[in-house]
Amino acid sequence: MSGKLSAIALSAISVVLLGGTGIPVLAASGTGKPKRYDGKWSVEVITEMGTCDRAYRYGIVIENSQARYAGGNDFTVSGGVQPNGAVRAVISRGSDSARVVGRLSEGYGNGTWTTAGSSPCGGRWDAERRG
């Protein structure tokens, strides 16, 4: 379970970038302006509590303020990014999940993540825009 949860958390986070009603995702201001957080992001997830793997790096793609794991369909992301950069999301794979919160700016972001269950873990994530 610990390896899976770290991977999930990093995905976010890589993520780990989520907001509102989906997951790693970034939203823009309404009225036809480009989604300011859309693009490719690299997310590093670091475990600071629990037995999850120490660190991971993941690719995340944000399109129309919704995030997805760049490596395929391994993870499900629910949440999004608010127009002000606030991130709130849940990343899951099977029965494992991680809550991700934080904030994105024009090129960087950071926040925290936590898992629940029999082996809870938590830590921080840092993101960097890659395109």
Side-chain angles (χ1 to χ4, degrees):
M1 177 171 162
S2 64
K4 285 183 185 179
L5 291 178
S6 285
I8 288 172
L10 179 59
S11 231
I13 1 354
S14 278
V15 126
V16 284
L17 313 174
L18 314 175
T21 60
I23 183 176
V25 175
L26 307 178
S29 50
T31 67
K33 293 184 181 177
K35 309 295 188 228
R36 65 189 278 202
Y37 302 108
D38 280 9
K40 296 177 183 176
W41 292 78
S42 176
V43 179
E44 180 180 30
V45 176
I46 298 170
T47 299
E48 297 177 325
M49 174 196 79
T51 59
C52 294
D53 291 344
R54 175 70 179 132
Y56 284 93
R57 181 169 292 279
Y58 291 93
I60 296 291
V61 176
I62 298 173
E63 295 176 315
N64 296 317
S65 300
Q66 295 298 308
R68 66 177 165 79
Y69 174 55
N73 295 321
D74 295 348
F75 299 96
T76 300
V77 177
S78 310
V81 176
Q82 303 291 319
N84 67 359
V87 172
R88 290 205 192 303
V90 174
I91 299 170
S92 59
R93 180 167 72 179
S95 62
D96 296 325
S97 66
R99 290 194 164 285
V100 179
V101 297
R103 182 166 301 279
L104 294 177
S105 66
E106 293 301 319
Y108 298 92
N110 58 54
T112 60
W113 62 272
T114 57
T115 65
S118 60
S119 298
C121 294
R124 63 183 168 86
W125 59 266
D126 296 295
E128 177 178 283
R129 185 189 291 270
R130 293 291 172 98

